[in-house]
Amino acid sequence: TAVSLKALTQADAITIEEVDVLARQPNSIVVSCHQSLNIDRLLAKMWEMLAMVRVYTRRRGEAPDLEEPSVLTAGRGGITIKTLCSHLHKDMLKEFKYALTWGQSCKHAPQRVGKEHQLMDEDVVQIFKKTAKEYGQEKKGKVLTKQGVLMDSKMQKDKANKEKRGPSSNRHDGGPAKNTGRMGKSAG
Protein backbone atom coordinates (compact mmCIF):
# COMPACT_ATOMS: atom_id res chain seq x y z
CA THR A 1 0.00 0.00 0.00
CA ALA A 2 2.10 2.84 -1.32
CA VAL A 3 1.12 6.28 -0.05
CA SER A 4 1.98 9.32 -2.11
CA LEU A 5 2.53 12.92 -1.12
CA LYS A 6 1.68 15.78 -3.46
CA ALA A 7 3.73 18.96 -3.23
CA LEU A 8 1.58 21.66 -4.84
CA THR A 9 4.00 24.45 -5.77
CA GLN A 10 3.55 28.09 -6.72
CA ALA A 11 1.17 28.83 -3.86
CA ASP A 12 2.19 32.50 -4.16
CA ALA A 13 0.64 32.70 -7.67
CA ILE A 14 -2.95 31.85 -6.64
CA THR A 15 -5.55 33.32 -4.28
CA ILE A 16 -5.82 32.37 -0.62
CA GLU A 17 -9.19 30.71 -1.28
CA GLU A 18 -7.59 28.45 -3.92
CA VAL A 19 -4.72 27.63 -1.55
CA ASP A 20 -7.28 26.68 1.12
CA VAL A 21 -9.08 24.29 -1.28
CA LEU A 22 -5.80 22.66 -2.38
CA ALA A 23 -4.51 22.34 1.21
CA ARG A 24 -7.61 20.34 2.21
CA GLN A 25 -6.83 17.58 -0.31
CA PRO A 26 -5.54 14.37 1.31
CA ASN A 27 -1.76 13.77 1.27
CA SER A 28 -0.97 17.18 -0.21
CA ILE A 29 1.03 20.16 0.95
CA VAL A 30 0.88 23.57 -0.71
CA VAL A 31 4.32 25.19 -0.92
CA SER A 32 5.99 28.24 -2.38
CA CYS A 33 9.67 27.90 -3.15
CA HIS A 34 9.90 31.59 -4.06
CA GLN A 35 8.63 32.75 -0.65
CA SER A 36 9.84 29.65 1.26
CA LEU A 37 6.33 28.85 2.53
CA ASN A 38 5.65 25.39 4.00
CA ILE A 39 9.06 24.00 2.94
CA ASP A 40 9.81 22.91 6.52
CA ARG A 41 6.41 21.19 6.79
CA LEU A 42 7.02 19.39 3.49
CA LEU A 43 10.39 18.09 4.72
CA ALA A 44 8.93 16.95 8.05
CA LYS A 45 6.10 15.10 6.28
CA MET A 46 8.58 13.41 3.90
CA TRP A 47 10.70 12.17 6.85
CA GLU A 48 7.55 10.89 8.56
CA MET A 49 6.18 9.08 5.50
CA LEU A 50 9.53 7.49 4.61
CA ALA A 51 9.94 6.37 8.26
CA MET A 52 13.52 7.66 8.39
CA VAL A 53 15.23 8.11 11.73
CA ARG A 54 18.18 10.47 12.31
CA VAL A 55 20.68 9.24 14.89
CA TYR A 56 23.57 11.38 16.07
CA THR A 57 26.82 9.96 17.41
CA ARG A 58 28.93 11.25 20.25
CA ARG A 59 32.54 10.65 21.26
CA ARG A 60 33.52 10.30 24.90
CA GLY A 61 33.98 13.70 26.53
CA GLU A 62 32.69 15.63 23.49
CA ALA A 63 29.40 17.16 22.44
CA PRO A 64 27.30 15.17 19.94
CA ASP A 65 27.92 15.74 16.23
CA LEU A 66 24.59 17.33 15.22
CA GLU A 67 25.78 18.19 11.70
CA GLU A 68 25.81 14.75 10.04
CA PRO A 69 23.34 12.20 11.40
CA SER A 70 23.25 8.54 10.46
CA VAL A 71 19.93 7.89 8.74
CA LEU A 72 18.27 4.55 9.48
CA THR A 73 15.03 3.07 8.16
CA ALA A 74 13.06 -0.04 8.99
CA GLY A 75 13.35 -1.14 5.36
CA ARG A 76 17.16 -1.03 5.36
CA GLY A 77 17.95 -3.31 8.26
CA GLY A 78 15.99 -1.70 11.08
CA ILE A 79 16.50 1.13 13.50
CA THR A 80 18.55 -0.60 16.20
CA ILE A 81 21.99 -0.05 17.71
CA LYS A 82 23.10 -3.12 15.74
CA THR A 83 22.14 -1.46 12.43
CA LEU A 84 23.83 1.78 13.45
CA CYS A 85 27.07 -0.10 14.23
CA SER A 86 27.05 -1.80 10.83
CA HIS A 87 26.47 1.57 9.12
CA LEU A 88 29.41 3.16 10.95
CA HIS A 89 32.03 0.43 10.41
CA LYS A 90 32.04 -3.22 9.35
CA ASP A 91 34.00 -4.40 12.44
CA MET A 92 32.11 -2.36 15.03
CA LEU A 93 29.66 -5.16 15.84
CA LYS A 94 32.51 -7.54 16.70
CA GLU A 95 34.01 -4.99 19.08
CA PHE A 96 30.69 -3.72 20.52
CA LYS A 97 30.45 -3.78 24.32
CA TYR A 98 27.49 -1.47 25.07
CA ALA A 99 26.09 1.95 24.15
CA LEU A 100 24.78 4.96 26.02
CA THR A 101 21.75 6.68 24.49
CA TRP A 102 20.02 9.99 25.04
CA GLY A 103 16.65 10.88 23.53
CA GLN A 104 13.07 9.72 23.11
CA SER A 105 13.90 5.99 23.11
CA CYS A 106 15.32 6.12 26.65
CA LYS A 107 13.64 5.84 30.02
CA HIS A 108 16.39 8.01 31.56
CA ALA A 109 19.36 9.87 30.16
CA PRO A 110 21.84 8.43 29.55
CA GLN A 111 20.63 4.85 29.37
CA ARG A 112 22.99 1.89 28.92
CA VAL A 113 21.66 -0.30 26.10
CA GLY A 114 22.58 -3.35 24.03
CA LYS A 115 22.57 -4.13 20.32
CA GLU A 116 18.82 -4.73 20.03
CA HIS A 117 17.75 -1.35 21.47
CA GLN A 118 15.22 0.39 19.17
CA LEU A 119 16.24 3.95 18.34
CA MET A 120 13.95 6.91 17.71
CA ASP A 121 14.36 10.10 15.67
CA GLU A 122 17.15 12.42 16.85
CA ASP A 123 18.55 10.04 19.50
CA VAL A 124 22.19 10.54 20.48
CA VAL A 125 24.34 7.40 20.81
CA GLN A 126 27.79 6.85 22.33
CA ILE A 127 29.22 3.41 21.53
CA PHE A 128 31.69 1.66 23.80
CA LYS A 129 33.94 -1.02 22.31
CA LYS A 130 35.62 -3.92 24.05
CA THR A 131 39.17 -3.38 25.20
CA ALA A 132 41.92 -5.19 23.35
CA LYS A 133 42.23 -7.62 26.27
CA GLU A 134 38.49 -8.41 26.28
CA TYR A 135 38.41 -8.75 22.51
CA GLY A 136 41.51 -10.99 22.46
CA GLN A 137 40.27 -13.23 25.28
CA GLU A 138 36.93 -13.64 23.53
CA LYS A 139 38.72 -14.96 20.46
CA LYS A 140 40.44 -17.56 22.67
CA GLY A 141 37.08 -18.96 23.79
CA LYS A 142 36.64 -16.85 26.90
CA VAL A 143 33.58 -14.70 27.46
CA LEU A 144 32.90 -11.54 29.42
CA THR A 145 30.36 -12.02 32.23
CA LYS A 146 27.86 -9.40 33.41
CA GLN A 147 30.27 -8.47 36.20
CA GLY A 148 33.04 -7.76 33.68
CA VAL A 149 35.06 -10.90 34.51
CA LEU A 150 36.65 -13.01 31.78
CA MET A 151 35.74 -16.68 32.08
CA ASP A 152 36.13 -19.79 29.92
CA SER A 153 32.92 -20.48 28.03
CA LYS A 154 32.81 -24.01 29.55
CA MET A 155 33.07 -22.57 33.05
CA GLN A 156 30.24 -20.13 32.31
CA LYS A 157 27.99 -22.94 31.02
CA ASP A 158 28.70 -24.99 34.16
CA LYS A 159 27.88 -22.00 36.34
CA ALA A 160 24.62 -21.36 34.44
CA ASN A 161 23.60 -25.01 34.80
CA LYS A 162 24.35 -24.90 38.52
CA GLU A 163 22.16 -21.80 38.91
CA LYS A 164 19.29 -23.53 37.05
CA ARG A 165 19.36 -26.50 39.45
CA GLY A 166 18.65 -24.28 42.44
CA PRO A 167 19.92 -24.27 46.02
CA SER A 168 19.42 -28.00 46.61
CA SER A 169 22.17 -28.79 44.11
CA ASN A 170 24.80 -27.87 46.68
CA ARG A 171 24.16 -31.09 48.67
CA HIS A 172 26.69 -33.79 47.97
CA ASP A 173 24.54 -36.82 48.77
CA GLY A 174 21.98 -36.02 46.07
CA GLY A 175 19.03 -36.79 48.33
CA PRO A 176 16.69 -34.57 50.25
CA ALA A 177 17.84 -33.15 53.55
CA LYS A 178 16.64 -35.07 56.61
CA ASN A 179 14.82 -33.17 59.29
CA THR A 180 15.48 -34.95 62.58
CA GLY A 181 14.16 -32.33 64.92
CA ARG A 182 17.58 -32.14 66.57
CA MET A 183 20.10 -29.60 65.43
CA GLY A 184 23.41 -30.96 64.24
CA LYS A 185 22.58 -34.60 64.93
CA SER A 186 21.35 -37.08 62.40
CA ALA A 187 18.74 -39.73 62.97
CA GLY A 188 20.34 -42.98 63.50
Side-chain angles (χ1 to χ4, degrees), residues 124-143:
V124 175
V125 177
Q126 181 177 349
I127 297 172
F128 289 82
K129 298 190 301 184
K130 297 173 187 168
T131 63
K133 182 178 180 182
E134 293 167 343
Y135 187 66
Q137 293 296 332
E138 189 175 88
K139 284 183 173 179
K140 293 178 182 176
K142 295 186 179 186
V143 292

Side-chain angles (χ1 to χ4, degrees), residues 85-148:
C85 288
S86 64
H87 279 257
L88 295 175
H89 194 274
K90 65 178 184 170
D91 292 334
M92 187 153 304
L93 273 177
K94 294 177 195 171
E95 301 172 3
F96 180 84
K97 186 173 183 181
Y98 67 92
L100 293 178
T101 58
W102 292 259
Q104 296 177 1
S105 70
C106 303
K107 293 177 184 174
H108 50 83
Q111 182 176 348
R112 185 175 172 160
V113 298
K115 294 177 190 176
E116 300 304 320
H117 178 75
Q118 293 286 322
L119 297 167
M120 296 180 86
D121 194 31
E122 296 188 342
D123 276 357
V124 175
V125 177
Q126 181 177 349
I127 297 172
F128 289 82
K129 298 190 301 184
K130 297 173 187 168
T131 63
K133 182 178 180 182
E134 293 167 343
Y135 187 66
Q137 293 296 332
E138 189 175 88
K139 284 183 173 179
K140 293 178 182 176
K142 295 186 179 186
V143 292
L144 190 67
T145 64
K146 290 180 183 176
Q147 293 80 20

Side-chain angles (χ1 to χ4, degrees), residues 56-66 124:
Y56 301 100
T57 56
R58 175 178 185 243
R59 292 181 183 267
R60 188 182 303 182
E62 295 181 15
D65 177 16
L66 300 176
V124 175

Side-chain angles (χ1 to χ4, degrees), residues 5-14 19 22-23 28-43 46:
L5 177 65
K6 297 177 212 163
L8 306 170
T9 61
Q10 298 183 347
D12 53 346
I14 57 177
V19 168
L22 292 172
S28 64
I29 297 179
V30 181
V31 296
S32 169
C33 297
H34 182 66
Q35 294 181 350
S36 296
L37 296 174
N38 261 353
I39 301 293
D40 55 344
R41 188 165 165 240
L42 174 64
L43 289 173
M46 288 169 54

Side-chain angles (χ1 to χ4, degrees), residues 48-91:
E48 177 187 328
M49 291 181 78
L50 292 171
M52 294 191 294
V53 174
R54 294 165 288 195
V55 179
Y56 301 100
T57 56
R58 175 178 185 243
R59 292 181 183 267
R60 188 182 303 182
E62 295 181 15
D65 177 16
L66 300 176
E67 296 296 317
E68 293 186 36
S70 294
V71 178
L72 307 174
T73 63
R76 291 189 326 178
I79 48 176
T80 62
I81 295 286
K82 184 177 183 178
T83 309
L84 175 65
C85 288
S86 64
H87 279 257
L88 295 175
H89 194 274
K90 65 178 184 170
D91 292 334

